Amino acid sequence: MPTPILPTDEPPLLHHAVEEAVRLLRSGEVVALPTETVYGLAANALDAAAVAKIFEAKERPTFDPLIVHLPHKNQLDTVADVPADIAQVVKQLTERFWPGPLTILLPKKPIVPDLVTAGLPTVAVRVSSNPVFRRIVATLDKPLAAPSANRFGSISPTSANAVLAELDGRIPLIVDGGASLHGLESTIIRIESGSPKPVITIVRPGPLTPDDLKPYGKVQLGSRTVLDEASDAPGQLAKHYAPRTPLRLLTRPADFQPEEGKTYALLSLSGEERDGYVGLHDWEEVMMLSPGSGKLPEAAVRFFHCLRRLDELGVDEIIAEPMFEHGMGIAMMDKLRRASINKPKPVQGHYQQRRG
Ligand code: TXA
Ligand code: MG
């Protein structure tokens, strides 16, 4: 059965979509829903049989835990035990950033099925700000487990059509909330008490940047080895978020050595000649993340969409320009590096060069 997409852009349509989604979720089904980051594949987080259907539809291994989305920020203690020594900073962060793209790892309550957390003692929690998602989760009045609505290992969907391309026929409903606002998955953090400030470790970079979190503690990026060894965010495997077409991330134009007879497409930040990549080759296609301006938040919105389009071309390789590892560039470079076949090391000076 093909999966239907329900629109939400008129009040009666929204009403119908919310009713349908809640009916399915109540009956233990999965539904793809828009969030402000990327589309999620949701199920009642307290119903292990429903959660199992998420893993099945995505073909996701059960060692990779899911994020729990609360109906409201004041319900945090229904799923997590907030340790006393970080209670104050958790309160400050949730007051400031929820609803929004911040996911916090906290000790789980027994009510959360082990399947949701892959047997880990912690649960990843957030509150989505997407108005359609909020109506559905509030009406259901249960926390929703929701990973990104793509097949395991593939890139996250930022539109209803992208969800369809990933999961058509495998799920009963997609609710269309338009293009995702941020376009990148939420920032995931772990918090420890510290003196004089709590320590906030970013285990997955995302829309909230180190600068956003700095007022609340000493911010550090989770070490890549820790991430990849699966102890912090098991889904952060080195090879993740990858298009099917091989992708090569460059650090400078001179690194591009085309092979005779192969076809290439370029993922460019701004599409500007002066960056030195656009004129390097007779590209099959050039996709610009932030045409002309090279603004990182704008690039983030189009990031997965552009990767998806390039993947559909059937070229031999996608060549990606580097981005400044600053703000949302941290998350995009993290994803490009994970997706790339060459895994170049950061060259700080170079990426910082054209800032501002
Ligand atoms: O923006 C988002 O976070 C989207 C939307 C739908 O909310 N969700 C999302 O979920 O990106 P997912 O499953 O694609 O990525 C969640 C990441 C995975 O890398 C997973 O390993 C990690 O969070 N994670 C979940 N629970 C965890 C836990 N208890 N400890 C460590 N990492 C955890
Ligand atoms: Mg995902």
Side-chain angles (χ1 to χ4, degrees):
M1 268 264 289
T3 301
I5 298 183
L6 290 181
T8 58
D9 44 5
E10 298 284 344
L13 297 175
L14 172 63
H15 182 80
H16 174 63
V18 170
E19 270 196 338
E20 258 314 278
V22 170
R23 184 183 67 76
L24 285 164
L25 291 166
R26 279 208 179 107
S27 71
E29 273 304 329
V30 295
V31 180
L33 300 178
T35 87
E36 75 280 35
T37 56
V38 300
Y39 275 70
L41 183 61
N44 177 354
L46 306 182
D47 176 350
V51 170
K53 293 183 185 170
I54 295 179
F55 287 93
E56 199 184 313
K58 280 183 58 103
E59 296 175 32
R60 179 172 171 128
T62 50
F63 62 72
D64 192 3
L66 309 179
I67 296 178
V68 171
H69 301 66
L70 299 172
H72 195 273
K73 62 181 160 195
N74 67 15
Q75 293 165 336
L76 177 58
D77 63 1
T78 61
V79 296
D81 276 318
V82 181
D85 60 350
I86 58 165
Q88 194 189 352
V89 60
V90 168
K91 180 140 184 66
Q92 287 169 344
L93 286 167
T94 55
E95 284 298 322
R96 172 68 184 81
F97 295 114
W98 281 1
L102 178 70
T103 298
I104 308 181
L105 299 176
L106 290 165
K108 89 185 235 332
K109 284 236 161 91
I111 191 174
V112 180
D114 286 333
L115 185 59
V116 171
T117 61
L120 293 172
T122 52
V123 60
V125 195
R126 83 175 191 99
V127 179
S128 171
S129 67
N130 179 282
V132 177
F133 188 99
R134 290 183 74 178
R135 265 183 73 158
I136 291 169
V137 73
T139 310
L140 181 74
D141 197 25
K142 292 269 190 305
L144 284 174
S148 51
N150 50 277
R151 298 275 189 110
F152 180 69
S154 170
I155 55 180
S156 295
T158 52
S159 66
N161 273 330
V163 179
L164 194 71
E166 292 282 331
L167 298 172
D168 190 17
R170 305 179 68 93
I171 58 173
L173 178 65
I174 299 169
V175 176
D176 188 349
S180 307
L181 179 68
H182 296 296
L184 295 177
E185 306 91 343
S186 61
T187 302
I188 305 182
I189 61 168
R190 176 161 51 81
I191 309 170
E192 276 126 1
S193 61
S195 171
K197 284 172 163 188
V199 179
I200 299 173
T201 306
I202 297 179
V203 302
R204 179 176 70 181
L208 289 180
T209 66
D211 282 346
D212 294 321
L213 298 169
K214 226 161 43 189
Y216 305 91
K218 179 176 173 330
V219 179
Q220 59 185 33
L221 285 174
S223 97
R224 189 157 299 276
T225 24
V226 171
L227 282 182
D228 293 348
E229 277 166 9
S231 52
D232 259 337
Q236 294 287 76
L237 303 171
K239 176 96 176 138
H240 210 65
Y241 311 107
R244 283 178 298 272
T245 310
L247 180 146
R248 187 181 301 274
L249 172 61
L250 300 186
T251 50
R252 48 195 188 117
D255 292 341
F256 180 59
Q257 307 289 343
E259 274 178 54
E260 192 64 38
K262 274 198 174 182
T263 54
Y264 299 89
L266 180 71
L267 179 67
S268 173
L269 178 60
S270 65
E272 296 278 303
E273 286 281 349
R274 63 172 177 185
D275 292 340
Y277 296 90
V278 175
L280 259 185
H281 186 72
D282 184 14
W283 307 103
E284 294 289 311
E285 175 93 43
V286 177
M287 294 229 51
M288 293 165 258
L289 289 169
S290 172
S293 65
K295 292 237 172 21
L296 293 169
E298 183 178 304
V301 172
R302 288 168 47 78
F303 183 71
F304 284 128
H305 170 73
C306 288
L307 274 178
R308 223 168 250 287
R309 289 287 301 279
L310 290 173
D311 203 10
E312 286 162 6
L313 293 174
V315 292
D316 292 311
E317 253 183 48
I318 298 169
I319 302 297
E321 287 181 14
M323 276 180 249
F324 322 115
E325 299 214 44
H326 170 82
M328 290 174 94
I330 300 172
M332 285 183 279
M333 280 298 283
D334 180 59
K335 288 170 209 302
L336 286 175
R337 218 175 263 120
R338 283 167 199 282
S340 76
I341 49 181
N342 52 322
K343 311 252 179 287
K345 297 263 176 301
V347 188
Q348 277 303 335
H350 179 79
Y351 299 137
Q352 306 283 330
Q353 230 170 32
R354 260 202 52 211
R355 255 181 67 195

CSV table of all heavy atoms in Angstrom, one decimal, residues 58 60 147-148 150 156 185 204 240-241, ligand 2:
chain,number,residue,atom,x,y,z
A,58,LYS,N,12.4,1.5,9.6
A,58,LYS,CA,13.6,2.1,9.3
A,58,LYS,C,14.8,1.1,9.0
A,58,LYS,O,15.8,1.5,8.6
A,58,LYS,CB,14.1,3.0,10.4
A,58,LYS,CG,13.4,4.4,10.5
A,58,LYS,CD,14.0,5.2,11.7
A,58,LYS,CE,15.5,5.4,11.6
A,58,LYS,NZ,15.9,6.7,11.1
A,60,ARG,N,16.4,-0.2,11.3
A,60,ARG,CA,17.4,0.4,12.2
A,60,ARG,C,17.8,-0.7,13.3
A,60,ARG,O,16.9,-1.4,13.8
A,60,ARG,CB,16.8,1.6,13.0
A,60,ARG,CG,17.7,2.3,14.0
A,60,ARG,CD,16.9,3.5,14.4
A,60,ARG,NE,17.5,4.2,15.5
A,60,ARG,CZ,17.8,5.5,15.5
A,60,ARG,NH1,17.6,6.2,14.4
A,60,ARG,NH2,18.3,6.1,16.6
A,147,PRO,N,12.9,8.9,15.8
A,147,PRO,CA,14.1,9.2,15.1
A,147,PRO,C,13.8,9.9,13.8
A,147,PRO,O,12.6,10.0,13.5
A,147,PRO,CB,14.6,7.8,14.9
A,147,PRO,CG,13.4,6.9,14.7
A,147,PRO,CD,12.3,7.6,15.6
A,148,SER,N,14.8,10.3,13.1
A,148,SER,CA,14.6,10.9,11.8
A,148,SER,C,14.0,9.8,10.9
A,148,SER,O,14.2,8.6,11.0
A,148,SER,CB,15.9,11.3,11.2
A,148,SER,OG,16.9,10.3,11.3
A,150,ASN,N,14.1,8.4,8.1
A,150,ASN,CA,14.8,7.9,6.9
A,150,ASN,C,15.2,6.4,7.2
A,150,ASN,O,15.1,6.0,8.3
A,150,ASN,CB,16.1,8.7,6.7
A,150,ASN,CG,16.9,8.8,8.0
A,150,ASN,OD1,16.6,9.7,8.7
A,150,ASN,ND2,17.9,7.9,8.2
A,156,SER,N,18.8,12.4,6.6
A,156,SER,CA,17.5,12.8,7.2
A,156,SER,C,16.6,13.5,6.2
A,156,SER,O,17.1,14.3,5.4
A,156,SER,CB,17.7,13.7,8.4
A,156,SER,OG,18.4,13.0,9.4
A,185,GLU,N,19.4,17.9,12.3
A,185,GLU,CA,18.9,17.3,13.5
A,185,GLU,C,19.3,18.1,14.7
A,185,GLU,O,20.4,18.8,14.7
A,185,GLU,CB,19.4,15.8,13.7
A,185,GLU,CG,19.1,14.9,12.5
A,185,GLU,CD,20.3,14.9,11.5
A,185,GLU,OE1,21.1,15.9,11.5
A,185,GLU,OE2,20.3,14.0,10.6
A,204,ARG,N,26.3,15.5,19.6
A,204,ARG,CA,26.0,15.6,18.2
A,204,ARG,C,25.8,17.1,17.9
A,204,ARG,O,24.8,17.7,18.5
A,204,ARG,CB,24.7,14.9,17.8
A,204,ARG,CG,24.3,15.0,16.4
A,204,ARG,CD,23.1,14.2,15.9
A,204,ARG,NE,21.9,14.7,16.4
A,204,ARG,CZ,20.7,14.1,16.2
A,204,ARG,NH1,20.6,13.0,15.5
A,204,ARG,NH2,19.6,14.6,16.7
A,240,HIS,N,27.5,7.4,8.4
A,240,HIS,CA,26.2,7.7,8.7
A,240,HIS,C,25.8,8.9,7.9
A,240,HIS,O,26.6,9.6,7.3
A,240,HIS,CB,26.1,8.1,10.2
A,240,HIS,CG,24.7,7.7,10.8
A,240,HIS,ND1,24.3,6.4,11.0
A,240,HIS,CD2,23.8,8.5,11.3
A,240,HIS,CE1,23.1,6.4,11.6
A,240,HIS,NE2,22.8,7.6,11.8
A,241,TYR,N,24.5,9.1,7.7
A,241,TYR,CA,24.0,10.3,6.9
A,241,TYR,C,24.6,10.2,5.5
A,241,TYR,O,25.0,11.3,5.0
A,241,TYR,CB,24.5,11.6,7.6
A,241,TYR,CG,24.2,11.7,9.0
A,241,TYR,CD1,25.2,11.7,9.9
A,241,TYR,CD2,22.9,12.0,9.4
A,241,TYR,CE1,24.9,11.8,11.3
A,241,TYR,CE2,22.6,12.1,10.8
A,241,TYR,CZ,23.7,12.0,11.7
A,241,TYR,OH,23.4,12.2,13.0
B,2,MG,MG,18.8,9.9,12.2
